[in-house]
Amino acid sequence: MCNGLEQPRKQQRSDLNGPVDNNNTPEVGTLGSNCKCLLSVPGPCEPEDLIDGIIFAANYLGSTQLLSERNPSKNIRMMQAQEAVSRVKRMQKAAKIKKKATSEGDSQALTEVDLFISTQRIKVLNADTQETMMDHALRTISYIADIGNIVVLMARRRMPRSASQDCIETTPGAQEGKKQYKMICHVFESEDAQLIAQSIGQAFSVAYQEFLRANGINPEDLSQKEYSDIINTQEMYNDDLIHFSNSENCKELQLEKQKGEILGVVIVESGWGSILPTVILANMMNGGPAARSGKLSIGDQIMSINGTSLVGLPLATCQGIIKGLKNQTQVKLNIVSCPPVTTVLIKRPDLKYQLGFSVQNGIICSLMRGGIAERGGVRVGHRIIEINGQSVVATAHEKIVQALSNSVGEIHMKTMPAAMFRLLTGQETPLYI
């Protein structure tokens, strides 16, 4: 499975990581690199071949469209890919039934295609006529998944500059300020499904190196072994598993409420990068059951409700579970007491070692798995509120990036979920459930 992210907009987002994450797919940016040369890029193809383009044979099964947030977690992307496969297979089945009813049982032939992959674009060509069926610039590909012999190619649709129908505000209950985008999902079948996904991931890596060279940036002479050695010398900081397994931090609470009364809480995501991703209590309604109990605090992570685990579930699912408690009079919660602010410690011995995360207007929007930032406690979706003892709440994006890019040694940060920050600073009106 390979995951690629789009090129950032100028002066809005800056990558503080190198070109390749643990899935061999880079974030495109302008800060740092750990590549020696084209030949060092791992993958099934010769890097030079990817510059010219390679072709894989596949069967085109169909396409569907999904709504998605701009930067969802990898788990959510995989769920979206699986949903796309299910939809396309249902459409295929319906079409087959319809064709049987109208043409005396003739089976529907699969469309054989050639998948052209290069560092510039991905094309889908009809295998017989070589006519172009689809053409996507590589940078527009948001996610590539291989599921058995199935490949799912996901691309965000281009949005008109005017008020776009492809850009819709989230429904009530979703995090305010987040928009949803239409994702076009192409589904293919091939014996080389895994190779196709790996090749596209490798194409991102090669394209990143070409991008650096085109802009006069010489990649640092830093081998993967050197970086791995640095990682192995660092212990996990703010380790969730240690904190969550400490019985002193874990509580089982029983809350009383009236039938028909809401629990009176606002929850947000803990942030991708957490070992045990769940939801965080971000606000409580004055006089509501949660606040009346006196047993809960802002920042508490909710592990389960009435025996149903919330770990790893999407935010909307967790919100639905809480809304379903309205007619109950007793609610049992398993929580882990956590401060609302996460303390981060990144150990960076030299500027040549990438930090491994991206920042957009003070908010961490992507994270390289296995990097020094993840080990230091960095979470996607968190807002940076302090760097090395200095508040950056009202600091310009460029200054935050500069402070991080030039920092070496121990980098101390304080962060909190961006949605919680907006609630606590009055930028959002709480939506209690």
Side-chain angles (χ1 to χ4, degrees), residues 331-342:
V331 179
K332 185 172 71 175
L333 299 175
N334 283 92
I335 67 162
V336 177
S337 297
C338 299
V341 175
T342 298

Side-chain angles (χ1 to χ4, degrees), residues 178-423:
K178 283 195 174 182
K179 297 177 179 179
Q180 290 186 315
Y181 298 87
K182 288 184 179 179
M183 302 293 300
I184 186 71
C185 308
H186 305 301
V187 181
F188 304 90
E189 180 184 59
S190 175
E191 294 179 356
D192 296 324
Q194 187 176 24
L195 282 176
I196 291 170
Q198 290 174 349
S199 298
I200 297 173
Q202 187 183 9
F204 271 104
S205 300
V206 176
Y208 183 86
Q209 289 195 18
E210 291 297 293
F211 171 80
L212 290 179
R213 290 187 175 88
N215 286 275
I217 301 172
N218 293 322
E220 294 283 351
D221 187 11
L222 175 64
S223 70
Q224 185 61 43
K225 182 180 184 304
E226 286 180 271
Y227 188 67
S228 297
D229 289 343
I230 291 295
I231 294 295
N232 293 333
T233 61
Q234 301 189 46
E235 296 181 1
M236 291 289 288
Y237 186 73
N238 203 7
D239 193 332
D240 289 343
L241 289 178
I242 294 175
H243 183 85
F244 287 19
S245 62
N246 185 339
S247 59
E248 295 180 0
N249 300 322
C250 305
K251 299 177 185 177
E252 185 174 292
L253 309 176
Q254 189 87 17
L255 304 186
E256 307 291 332
K257 59 185 284 294
Q258 300 295 319
K259 189 172 183 179
E261 187 181 25
I262 65 172
L263 194 59
V265 297
V266 178
I267 58 172
V268 299
E269 293 173 309
S270 60
W272 178 62
S274 174
I275 301 296
L276 292 173
T278 181
V279 292
I280 298 176
L281 181 61
N283 212 329
M284 291 184 284
M285 183 174 66
N286 289 334
R292 287 200 308 264
S293 72
K295 300 175 181 178
L296 293 165
S297 301
I298 301 299
D300 286 346
Q301 299 206 21
I302 306 173
M303 309 305 291
S304 69
I305 296 178
N306 288 347
T308 300
S309 174
L310 304 188
V311 175
L313 297 182
L315 177 63
T317 303
C318 296
Q319 290 171 328
I321 291 171
I322 293 176
K323 290 176 183 177
L325 303 172
K326 193 170 183 180
N327 292 324
Q328 299 189 26
T329 58
Q330 290 188 331
V331 179
K332 185 172 71 175
L333 299 175
N334 283 92
I335 67 162
V336 177
S337 297
C338 299
V341 175
T342 298
T343 303
V344 176
L345 174 59
I346 304 173
K347 296 181 179 180
R348 187 189 198 186
D350 192 279
L351 287 177
K352 68 181 180 179
Y353 297 99
Q354 68 267 31
L355 289 175
F357 65 96
S358 299
V359 175
Q360 181 178 355
N361 297 325
I363 298 174
I364 298 159
C365 55
S366 68
L367 177 67
M368 184 174 73
R369 279 298 195 185
I372 57 179
E374 183 192 36
R375 297 185 75 85
V378 169
R379 303 283 183 266
V380 170
H382 276 219
R383 182 184 178 89
I384 303 172
I385 57 178
E386 188 177 288
I387 300 174
N388 290 333
Q390 298 294 316
S391 172
V392 293
V393 168
T395 303
H397 167 78
E398 292 79 7
K399 290 187 177 180
I400 294 175
V401 171
Q402 186 178 18
L404 291 169
S405 300
N406 297 331
S407 295
V408 292
E410 291 191 350
I411 305 170
H412 297 260
M413 295 197 307
K414 290 185 178 178
T415 72
M416 71 164 58
M420 182 187 293
F421 178 85
R422 292 193 294 268
L423 287 167

Side-chain angles (χ1 to χ4, degrees), residues 107-132:
S107 60
Q108 187 177 20
L110 294 173
T111 304
E112 294 183 358
V113 298
D114 288 334
L115 269 174
F116 173 84
I117 300 167
S118 76
T119 55
Q120 295 296 320
R121 56 202 329 100
I122 296 177
K123 287 185 179 182
V124 180
L125 309 171
N126 184 293
D128 293 329
T129 65
Q130 290 298 292
E131 291 182 2
T132 300

